[in-house]
Structures are given as structure tokens and as C-alpha cells.
Amino acid sequence: MTGPGDPPEGTPEGVPGGGEEEYRSVVFDESFVRAARLQEFSARERITEHAPAVRRLAGRPGRSRGRGLRVQVMILALLIALAFATAVLMGLRQSEPEAAARPVEPLRMTVVPLVPQGAVPGASRADELFARSPAAQFKSGAAGIALPAARSTGNFTESQVMTALTTAKEYLVESSLDPAVLIGGAVRPVRILLDSEQYDQFDQSLAHPAADGRHAATGWLVRFDPEQAVLADARVRVRGSMRLVEVDAATLEVTSAHTFVYALKPAVGGDGRASLFTVRRELRFRFDEDDLRLRRAELLTSDVQAGPMACPKDPRAAADRLRPLFAGERSKAGGSGSGATDPYARGGAPMTLCGALSTAAQPSPAA
């Protein structure tokens, strides 16, 4: 029989002690055995030096829920505070314009014809008349409408101030210098520069002129009867001034005072000579932020003196168009009012139906 340590077939022949004899010559030294020794970590070492098998949560469930609830309450309180502050701020912004806003006022105007004292001077050439008149040193056209320096105000930027000044100048150019307006009967170039709330008054003034201080077409613009007058020289002579002030936190006002001198001839008949016609216009414009943004103006007042003209029997005639007297013509009736009016001089229009045109405002006699 085989021993308990032998294989069933017994020990192989020729090999003493079986397979064990083959490894009896292999000896492991002490250093090898010590390095190969297995070491099992203690419970503390497994905790501190090895990752646990189960991931721990960051905190206790009850404490986490409590902290999350507090955060939500704080966020909700912050949102409520922001909503309240926004509502207050919007209310203030809405109330400020309502408090500062002004309704657009209707234009108040005066148109005073100036009656010549004697025959109207004339000449074959317009430049001869200009050279002998107070307008000899005036500039031609838009160059005669000089702008003051644009400086920021307490509530308006320099750019906004410049916009107010240039818009006022554009209105003066279109309403006083454009031949299509002066003779051709055009009105749109002037109308589009007005605040839309003044359109009704403007349209009524053009359709039904009246000498009521509100609806004179000649209070809005300079225009002649094309069947009566033509331009003898397209170069209108101009001189005057402009001034800007800040009325309040929401409003700028521009005041302009200019003298315009036109060379005219009769459209039909006459001796072919030219004569000068002088118009003094003093206008006051108002601008709010919408007007500045849209480049439009509210025209508040318009005071006009114009001559030489006859004192009309019907005041509506001067409210519709300016009808000049030409070279050699005289007024059948003298001017009314105390003293003579010089449209080249500063000052408001006289509160009369007609004024007397100063001889100083006419060209001097030819040498």
C-alpha cells in the first residue's frame, strides 16, 4: 500500500522520495522570508490609511435639511426686498416726468406790418441796394445764423445743447430762407420740425389764417404771394443772435432774434427795379428730452415785424401772406403807433395793428 503522503500510483521510479526531492535544495534566507511576510492592518489602520468601502455623506441628514431651509428663507427674503426696491424705483421714475412734464402750449404770435414813410427805394440791381442798406455787412443765407458755443448745463449734455441749437437754426433756415417756402407755397419742411402736438394749430393757421394771435400763417413762416412778388436775389441777407437757457431739469429754451432782408421784384408789371423787404423775427423755442431725441421743437412765441407794407384794411391779409410795397410805391395811409420802428434794432414788436418803418431801415439814396 502507499503511504498517506504518496500518490495512488506510488512513488515514481528513480526519484527518491517522489517530487519533494527536487525542491529540497532550495533554501529561503531570513531576509526573503521577512519581506514576504503578510501583515494584516488593524481596524484603526484600515480606517486611517485606506478608503472605506462605503462613502460617507457630508453631514447628518437633519442638519443638512435645516441648513438648506435657512438658505431658501434667506433667498426668498432677498427676492422680496429686491422686488420692493424695484417697485419703489419705478414709481419714482414714473412720477418724476409727470411732475416735470409740461403740456405743449399753443404758439402765441404777433405780426406787425411796417408802413414806409415815403416812396420805397429801388435799384436795377439788388446788390446795389444791399450795399446802401444797413444789411451791407450781413452774411448770406444760413451763414448769417450763427450758433453760440454749446456747453453742457446742469441737466443736459453738450450734445443735447447742440441738438437744441441746431434744430432751432434748421427751423429758421426752412421757415425764412427756403425759396420753396418763401415763394413756392411749401409748408412741409417747416411742419416736420414742430412738435406733433402743434400740428393742429399749424394746419389751421395755414388753412384758415386769422389775426387772433394764434393762427397767423406768417407767425410760423415767411411767405409772399407768388402772384405778387418774386425774389430778385436768392441770397437773403441775415444777422442776429441765439441764446439758450435751461429752464428746469427737463426743459431747454432757445431764443432767437434775427433780421432777414429780401430783394424782391413785382411778379407782374412794375419798372423792373428791385427793392428790399425786411423781416424781423424773434422766436422762442422749447425742447424736452423727446424733442431733442426726435430733433423737433415746440414754438412758444413768434414776434414779427415786416415792411415796407401797406397797413391792411383786413388784418387777415397780413396773417396769410406778406404783401410788400415795391420800388417807387407809397402807402396810401401812414403808419400808426408812436414813433418809427426799426426792424434792424433789437426789441419786441410794437403792440399795434401797424407800425411806421424807420427811414434808417431803408437803403440810402443813390449817390
Side-chain angles (χ1 to χ4, degrees):
M1 289 184 64
T2 62
D6 299 331
E9 295 84 0
T11 303
E13 293 182 0
V15 181
E20 294 179 0
E21 294 296 331
E22 181 179 357
Y23 299 100
R24 286 179 180 174
S25 62
V26 180
V27 178
F28 298 97
D29 60 12
E30 182 180 357
S31 62
F32 179 84
V33 174
R34 186 181 301 113
R37 184 175 56 192
L38 296 178
Q39 181 180 358
E40 183 173 352
F41 293 99
S42 66
R44 179 176 298 277
E45 288 173 333
R46 285 197 299 270
I47 291 175
T48 58
E49 298 185 13
H50 294 270
V54 179
R55 181 180 299 172
R56 269 200 311 261
L57 294 177
R60 295 179 181 178
R63 182 178 300 174
S64 177
R65 284 196 297 271
R67 184 181 298 112
L69 181 60
R70 286 196 299 272
V71 171
Q72 292 177 3
V73 170
M74 291 176 63
I75 292 175
L76 181 60
L78 179 60
L79 291 176
I80 293 174
L82 287 175
F84 179 76
T86 302
V88 172
L89 182 60
M90 291 182 65
L92 290 175
R93 288 183 175 178
Q94 290 177 357
S95 62
E96 285 178 359
E98 292 177 359
R102 295 182 179 181
V104 176
E105 300 177 9
L107 171 61
R108 293 178 287 109
M109 62 186 72
T110 60
V111 179
V112 179
L114 300 179
V115 180
Q117 302 180 60
V120 177
S124 58
R125 294 176 53 184
D127 55 355
E128 295 179 6
L129 286 174
F130 282 122
R132 304 197 325 256
S133 77
Q137 303 302 319
F138 286 16
K139 294 182 178 180
S140 299
I145 306 176
L147 299 180
R151 297 184 177 89
S152 61
T153 64
N155 295 282
F156 292 88
T157 65
E158 180 180 330
S159 176
Q160 289 176 311
V161 169
M162 178 57 72
T163 297
L165 292 171
T166 55
T167 302
K169 177 175 180 176
E170 187 176 1
Y171 185 92
L172 289 169
V173 169
E174 295 297 340
S175 64
S176 309
L177 301 176
D178 186 353
V181 174
L182 298 175
I183 301 295
V187 297
R188 187 176 182 276
V190 180
R191 187 179 189 269
I192 61 175
L193 294 173
L194 292 170
D195 189 292
S196 59
E197 293 188 33
Q198 290 189 312
Y199 284 174
D200 288 344
Q201 184 188 7
F202 180 86
D203 294 341
Q204 187 175 352
S205 300
L206 273 293
H208 306 286
D212 60 358
R214 291 288 188 273
H215 299 96
T218 47
W220 297 95
L221 47 83
V222 176
R223 67 173 185 171
F224 303 100
D225 186 345
E227 296 182 357
Q228 183 185 14
V230 295
L231 292 173
D233 189 333
R235 297 170 298 172
V236 181
R237 304 318 197 259
V238 188
R239 187 170 68 182
S241 62
M242 298 178 69
R243 181 173 59 92
L244 179 142
V245 296
E246 179 183 302
V247 177
D248 54 41
T251 311
L252 291 174
E253 284 191 3
V254 174
T255 302
S256 67
H258 291 83
T259 300
F260 301 86
V261 186
Y262 306 86
L264 303 175
K265 287 182 178 181
V268 178
D271 58 9
R273 292 186 300 163
S275 59
L276 299 186
F277 189 85
T278 305
V279 177
R280 174 77 176 182
R281 302 185 78 195
E282 297 185 8
L283 308 180
R284 185 160 61 98
F285 304 87
R286 175 182 292 169
F287 300 88
D288 57 25
E289 291 188 356
D290 286 340
D291 293 326
L292 295 173
R293 178 173 53 84
L294 298 173
R295 297 189 64 84
R296 65 189 188 188
E298 303 171 32
L299 189 54
L300 300 181
T301 60
S302 172
D303 295 319
V304 178
Q305 306 168 39
M309 291 176 62
C311 191
K313 296 180 180 179
D314 185 352
R316 289 178 298 180
D320 181 18
R321 296 178 186 273
L322 300 176
R323 292 175 169 81
L325 293 173
F326 299 101
E329 295 184 334
R330 297 172 179 265
S331 175
K332 295 180 180 180
S336 61
S338 60
T341 301
D342 185 355
Y344 290 88
R346 295 183 179 182
M351 300 303 293
T352 59
L353 179 62
C354 290
L357 180 63
S358 171
T359 55
Q362 292 289 295
S364 60

